[in-house]
Amino acid sequence: MSQSALTETANTLAPDGLQGVVADWSSDQRAFKRVPWGKAMIWIFLLSDTFIFTCFLLSYMMVRMSTTVPWPNTSEIFALSFGGEPIPLILIAIMTFILISSSGTMAMAVMFGYRQDRVKSAILMLVTAAFGATFVGMQVFEWTKLIVEEGVRPWGNPFGASQFGSVFFMITGFHGFHVSVGVVFLIITARKVWRGDFDTNRRGYFTSRKGDYGAVEIMGLYWHFVDLVWVFIFAVFYLW
Amino acid sequence: MTSITPAQAELISPAEVEDVELYHPKTWVTKYVFSQDAKVIAIQYSCTAIGIGLVALVLSWLIRLQLGFPDSFDFISPSDYYQFITMHGMIMVIYLLTALFLGGFGNYLIPLMVGARDMVFPYVNMLSYWIYLLAVLVLVASWFVPGGPTGAGWTLYPPQAILSGTPGSDAGIILMLVSLALFIIGFTMGGLNYVTTVLQARTRGMTLMRMPLTIWGIFTATVLALLAFPALFVAAVMMTLDSMLGTSFFMPSIVEMNEYLEYGGGSPILFQHLFWFFGHPEVYIVALPAFGIVSDLLSVHSRRHIFGYRMMVWAIVGIGALSFVVWAHHMYVSGMNPWFGFFFATTTLIIAVPTAIKVYNWTLTLWHGNIRLTLPMLFALAFIVTFLNGGITGLFLGNVVVDVPLSDTMFVVAHFHMVMGVAPILVIFGAIYHWFPLITGRMMNQAMGQFHFWVTFIGAYVIFLPIHYLGFLGVPRRYFEMGDTSFIPESVASLNAFVTVAALIVGFAQLVFMYNLFWSASKGKVAERNPWQATTLEWQTPEMPPAHGNFGETLPVVYRWAYEYGAPGYDEDFVPQNQPPIGASAETGGDGVPDGAAQPAK
Ligand code: HEM
Ligand SMILES: [Cu+2]
């Protein structure tokens, strides 16, 4: 049945106004009309993941309150000096900038995906993945610097409360893990788009299901989420 | 809007999503072992959960032997005792009840009851089971590592959970935390499937307000689990770091054996918040599926529509939402600000309102019903009584001033066993007796079933009513033995011995039930189609037990709610959900006369 005929039948059934809203929500088959399964699923997953990150960040705030030792000054610790003058948080600022730019390329990849412009979509996804990998690389640099040069350990550090190191490694580690997983899946999805799997109805290796360009959008939702979480980590951990 | 007129029947909207192609297994291994069929996954989940549940049952006997006859069993040392209660509690709550209700019943019933061919992402669903199995194996492995499993109590409170005085503090606690994290990852994979299937993959005509309450219960519980488990996950990660890397998230400065430990500055209370932010919703993760299932059992077996369906749905959703704002009622004795206590006591008592509505509605469903005292019905009735009992003691514990003296006594043990131990277990039994014919094609043996019911039902009260009383006397929980304690009267010892004997008898009845399961699966009376004359879709499949893909060629179309009993104008006292209204052309139903509609009454 064509799309217009579909909406017509739906219209004859649906009441107006507030009742219409209720009827839409509780109508048969789908609660969110025109939302494919995968997209619904990733949204619910991200909601659950939001709770994980919220718990991590609230726990950080609570241990920061419970410890009696002063909290180290993040803008000093995360400063890099170029030719003498230390610039506070410069590395983190660059990392943030890179991650936010990657959200832009991701959004474009989604758009070109829906236009079935395979090459552009795949390239933009690979660019996004490259940004992501750069971010993780800079994080590795930051970790190494803190561990090797500054002597920060999960159980203690020379600057103040031992929880500083614990929280830092745990939260940035968990976030970096999300980014890394994203990079891997970006490359996988880019490969599928490049090869034209979604046009030739090639089946997934594990799931033996056909995919569609919705997969690019699902990837995008995950990526923007990881980005957004970083903004919060940046604000409450580095700036505060 | 629950059922429709013939004219409206013609207007059921056409299918919005084309039928997805199912994965068709070609080998025995992909059909029964690495299966992507939700029904097989359900059975795998259930068997694993019941298997590990039996371990917890045996542990409860050992706990009771020690409590009933202290000094008589050399093989139970104080450390063993703590390990027993910890593993008993954790297995019962997480690995048995949560897994069985959501992974077991959820997987089996959701696709069938909403009219779907399978879960939306069968491959992920399969992974969910295997990760769950891995979690169970890691848990079991903790018996075989140096120091044995953790003895920190199922609440795993730090700092003691990871200090050397607690049994299993070297490896046991870490395996426990890893196992929990695995469980959560596995559950999330399944849970996303359950929620998405209910929201986005119902059949034509299956509106949200026509879903059986079983589905509402499982659906809401899954949402709770997806939002509550993250807190436990985070707590598990942080405690693992505390014990392996020596971080101090939860650890204050501590002197042990005259020596300062390396820890300092952490917050044990933080753990309690995280744990109970998970822990209280967990109670409802177990209770809501039970609420849903029992509503359907009561309705089917009393041949009457569920009383106040809409209210029942809103009560489930309301309880689910409220369950996130009551967690600190488990922390009244943690030294919190009295205003917090006041807040949490208030929210706790507010939850009693929707809960009471449900109890009234169950009772009113029975009113003027044509009650058939089948085994599922007996268990459903037993649930109402037991849940009411446990709920009322909950009101006492929810008040700060009453809770403070009762906290950490046997009264608490009695309360939570009634409300989240015995009551949901009774529903599980009822549900198994109810759906066994669907799953295996055979009825369960009646005689063994009756024996099982009466011993379990009466036995539960013989065990737990005296435990309430012990709590009033001030007998503390989690004590290896009381010795000569001045405020504990002599009679406590004989009462404890009595309870132990009762617990062993009830335990024996569970073995009879297990035997019944195996016996009936091969030798039970062959079940006729739709033996309970139920209206819901799972009984209307072309084959029983339902085949791969559930509904044969075409998916059913739903014309009415799940509770059409005794409607005028029909030959039978029930009308299946997929039977078109009288006068409507059956054409909309796809394959003409819906299956099950033409079943002769017995
Ligand atoms: C078969 C019948 C059962 C018996 C006889 C039994 C007995 C006991 C006993 C004696 C304790 C120790 C109390 C203490 O000293 O603290 C206990 C603890 C516990 N039981 Fe059960 N139980 C049974 C079934 C269940 C079920 C079905 C659940 C599921 C919710 C459950 C959950 C718990 C929990 C959460 C604890 C607390 C463990 C802890 O203190 O860490 N039990 N049980
Ligand atoms: Cu609670």
Side-chain angles (χ1 to χ4, degrees):
Chain A
M1 189 176 291
S2 72
Q3 196 63 41
S4 67
L6 250 176
T7 21
E8 218 162 87
T9 352
N11 283 346
T12 43
L13 270 179
D16 302 329
L18 194 62
Q19 278 207 316
V21 176
V22 176
D24 268 357
W25 262 80
S26 60
S27 69
D28 70 344
Q29 304 182 56
R30 290 191 284 178
F32 303 100
K33 298 294 174 195
R34 299 206 187 90
V35 176
W37 291 345
K39 198 165 147 186
M41 186 135 143
I42 194 82
W43 271 109
I44 302 166
F45 169 74
L46 293 180
L47 187 64
S48 184
D49 215 11
T50 306
F51 271 59
I52 294 198
F53 277 107
T54 311
C55 288
F56 270 128
L57 290 177
L58 288 174
S59 301
Y60 146 67
M61 294 176 195
M62 194 147 162
V63 289
R64 188 166 166 169
M65 284 193 291
S66 73
T67 181
T68 48
V69 186
W71 200 256
N73 183 347
T74 43
S75 52
E76 274 167 28
I77 295 178
F78 298 106
L80 281 187
S81 7
F82 296 103
E85 267 305 286
I87 312 175
L89 290 179
I90 179 69
L91 183 65
I92 318 300
I94 298 172
M95 284 166 72
T96 310
F97 179 74
I98 287 179
L99 207 56
I100 290 180
S101 315
S102 78
S103 255
T105 51
M106 186 70 234
M108 280 154 69
V110 174
M111 182 187 73
F112 283 115
Y114 278 128
R115 290 191 193 161
Q116 312 211 343
D117 193 334
R118 292 199 340 252
V119 176
K120 280 198 189 118
S121 177
I123 289 180
L124 282 163
M125 262 189 281
L126 289 178
V127 172
T128 313
F131 276 139
T134 317
F135 176 88
V136 177
M138 294 173 101
Q139 203 163 45
V140 170
F141 170 77
E142 189 192 11
W143 276 43
T144 326
K145 180 168 162 285
L146 283 193
I147 295 172
V148 179
E149 287 172 23
E150 327 260 342
V152 178
R153 299 284 183 275
W155 52 88
N157 62 74
F159 307 108
S162 73
Q163 280 78 9
F164 170 77
S166 332
V167 167
F168 170 76
F169 289 116
M170 181 176 72
I171 294 186
T172 60
F174 199 71
H175 178 265
F177 172 73
H178 273 73
V179 179
S180 312
V181 170
V183 168
V184 171
F185 277 90
L186 272 172
I187 294 173
I188 295 175
T189 319
R191 176 163 176 255
K192 288 188 174 187
V193 170
W194 184 272
R195 207 165 47 183
D197 284 13
F198 301 142
D199 298 320
T200 57
N201 281 334
R202 187 180 170 127
R203 288 167 189 280
Y205 179 74
F206 288 108
T207 59
S208 49
R209 275 217 182 157
K210 299 172 197 154
D212 56 36
Y213 284 97
V216 185
E217 190 185 358
I218 291 174
M219 210 38 251
L221 285 169
Y222 176 81
W223 195 258
H224 297 316
F225 168 79
V226 172
D227 229 19
L228 184 66
V229 166
W230 176 257
V231 173
F232 280 90
I233 296 175
F234 182 65
V236 301
F237 185 79
Y238 289 97
L239 290 187
W240 178 22
Chain B
M1 282 288 279
T2 45
S3 58
I4 54 176
T5 63
Q8 283 171 317
E10 314 289 337
L11 286 177
I12 289 190
S13 33
E16 289 168 11
V17 191
E18 46 183 311
D19 236 351
V20 283
E21 215 181 309
L22 286 184
Y23 171 78
H24 290 291
K26 291 175 201 73
T27 61
W28 187 84
V29 174
T30 46
K31 197 160 176 191
Y32 297 109
V33 184
F34 294 103
S35 171
Q36 300 192 23
D37 186 327
K39 296 187 292 299
V40 180
I41 297 173
I43 292 172
Q44 292 173 325
Y45 250 114
S46 308
C47 292
T48 315
I50 294 176
I52 192 74
L54 284 176
V55 173
L57 178 69
V58 172
L59 290 176
S60 80
W61 301 341
L62 296 173
I63 302 171
R64 269 322 317 175
L65 283 177
Q66 169 59 29
L67 289 177
F69 309 100
D71 302 329
S72 321
F73 299 99
D74 292 338
F75 61 90
I76 307 180
S77 69
S79 298
D80 292 335
Y81 180 80
Y82 286 117
Q83 294 170 328
F84 294 165
I85 62 166
T86 306
M87 297 309 264
H88 163 83
M90 196 63 103
I91 293 176
M92 286 287 189
V93 174
I94 309 261
Y95 300 86
L96 172 69
L97 290 180
T98 309
L100 190 51
F101 269 124
L102 302 182
F105 287 102
N107 264 317
Y108 206 92
L109 295 176
I110 290 174
L112 277 165
M113 282 185 142
V114 303
R117 295 206 182 277
D118 206 320
M119 290 291 179
V120 285
F121 292 105
Y123 184 79
V124 182
N125 205 24
M126 172 183 82
L127 286 185
S128 160
Y129 168 71
W130 291 99
I131 297 180
Y132 164 65
L133 182 65
L134 184 64
V136 170
L137 292 178
V138 171
L139 186 80
V140 172
S142 65
W143 262 285
F144 303 99
V145 294
T150 176
W154 88 284
T155 47
L156 305 179
Y157 276 7
Q160 50 90 13
I162 58 177
L163 291 184
S164 59
T166 308
S169 60
D170 12 333
I173 181 72
I174 296 186
L175 287 181
M176 168 61 87
L177 296 169
V178 169
S179 169
L180 285 174
L182 284 172
F183 181 92
I184 294 167
I185 294 169
F187 169 79
T188 305
M189 296 184 154
L192 292 172
N193 255 309
Y194 315 154
V195 172
T196 317
T197 307
V198 171
L199 285 179
Q200 300 296 87
R202 280 162 287 134
T203 190
R204 295 169 58 203
M206 181 60 89
T207 63
L208 286 179
M209 282 317 214
R210 281 186 196 150
M211 288 199 305
L213 285 170
T214 299
I215 300 300
W216 270 109
I218 295 177
F219 168 72
T220 315
T222 310
V223 174
L224 296 195
L226 288 174
L227 303 183
F229 275 126
L232 181 66
F233 183 82
V234 167
V237 169
M238 301 206 305
M239 203 195 275
T240 312
L241 294 177
D242 276 3
S243 93
M244 290 186 75
L245 290 187
T247 57
S248 300
F249 289 111
F250 301 137
M251 306 298 280
S253 339
I254 289 171
V255 180
E256 191 180 67
M257 306 287 200
N258 276 331
E259 255 180 80
Y260 266 104
L261 297 184
E262 295 286 317
Y263 295 115
S267 166
I269 297 288
L270 169 62
F271 178 87
Q272 297 193 13
H273 281 297
L274 288 172
F275 184 86
W276 289 112
F277 184 81
F278 144 77
H280 188 83
E282 171 63 27
V283 175
Y284 289 97
I285 292 167
V286 171
L288 291 181
F291 288 176
I293 290 173
V294 88
S295 310
D296 284 354
L297 297 187
L298 287 169
S299 168
V300 174
H301 295 274
S302 62
R303 317 306 300 157
R304 195 151 171 317
H305 66 84
I306 191 79
F307 189 90
Y309 173 79
R310 258 164 198 279
M311 228 194 285
M312 291 300 249
V313 170
W314 287 117
I316 288 181
V317 175
I319 292 173
L322 281 172
S323 72
F324 280 101
V325 289
V326 299
W327 78 89
H329 63 210
H330 297 275
M331 299 163 57
Y332 287 152
V333 294
S334 70
M336 64 163 108
N337 184 315
W339 283 107
F340 275 155
F342 175 75
F343 172 81
F344 283 104
T346 313
T347 51
T348 303
L349 299 188
I350 289 174
I351 283 213
V353 177
T355 315
I357 289 178
K358 297 197 75 74
V359 176
Y360 284 124
N361 283 355
W362 288 323
T363 320
L364 287 168
T365 301
L366 299 171
W367 184 257
H368 284 196
N370 174 11
I371 297 177
R372 297 177 180 169
L373 284 180
T374 55
L375 283 169
M377 185 61 163
L378 289 174
F379 278 102
L381 295 173
F383 165 82
I384 302 182
V385 184
T386 311
F387 185 74
L388 186 64
N389 182 312
I392 288 176
T393 52
L395 290 181
F396 289 82
L397 295 174
N399 281 290
V400 186
V401 279
V402 188
D403 179 70
V404 168
L406 286 175
S407 188
D408 274 322
T409 67
M410 280 298 189
F411 188 82
V412 174
V413 173
H415 155 72
F416 72 67
H417 273 91
M418 277 302 194
V419 79
M420 84 169 300
V422 180
I425 290 263
L426 288 171
V427 175
I428 285 183
F429 289 139
I432 292 179
Y433 285 103
H434 182 81
W435 279 297
F436 191 82
L438 180 71
I439 298 170
T440 63
R442 290 172 189 272
M443 307 296 283
M444 287 196 60
N445 180 290
Q446 279 291 314
M448 281 190 265
Q450 290 278 343
F451 172 80
H452 173 226
F453 170 74
W454 290 106
V455 176
T456 307
F457 176 50
I458 298 178
Y461 285 81
V462 173
I463 296 171
F464 289 111
L465 287 182
I467 295 185
H468 286 88
Y469 171 69
L470 292 180
F472 281 136
L473 291 179
V475 178
R477 79 190 262 219
R478 294 178 175 170
Y479 268 48
F480 174 64
E481 59 187 347
M482 293 308 300
D484 293 322
T485 309
S486 60
F487 64 87
I488 308 267
E490 290 275 307
S491 61
V492 164
S494 34
L495 198 53
N496 258 329
F498 169 75
V499 169
T500 296
V501 173
L504 292 177
I505 295 173
V506 172
F508 171 72
Q510 309 318 309
L511 299 185
V512 173
F513 169 73
M514 291 303 300
Y515 179 73
N516 193 356
L517 276 183
F518 287 111
W519 187 88
S520 304
S522 58
K523 301 211 183 65
K525 187 163 77 80
V526 174
E528 51 193 302
R529 293 302 310 271
N530 197 355
W532 314 113
Q533 301 180 301
T535 60
T536 38
L537 292 181
E538 82 273 24
W539 297 102
Q540 325 300 339
T541 54
E543 284 142 86
M544 187 176 107
H548 187 56
N550 292 349
F551 292 102
E553 284 293 296
T554 40
L555 287 173
V557 176
V558 168
Y559 298 94
R560 58 192 80 247
W561 69 338
Y563 302 98
E564 201 88 283
Y565 291 102
Y570 291 89
D571 311 340
E572 308 271 357
D573 78 334
F574 71 106
V575 192
Q577 284 189 279
N578 58 342
Q579 180 170 328
I582 296 173
S585 69
E587 178 267 314
T588 30
D591 62 341
V593 185
D595 312 279
Q599 291 296 312
K602 278 183 292 184

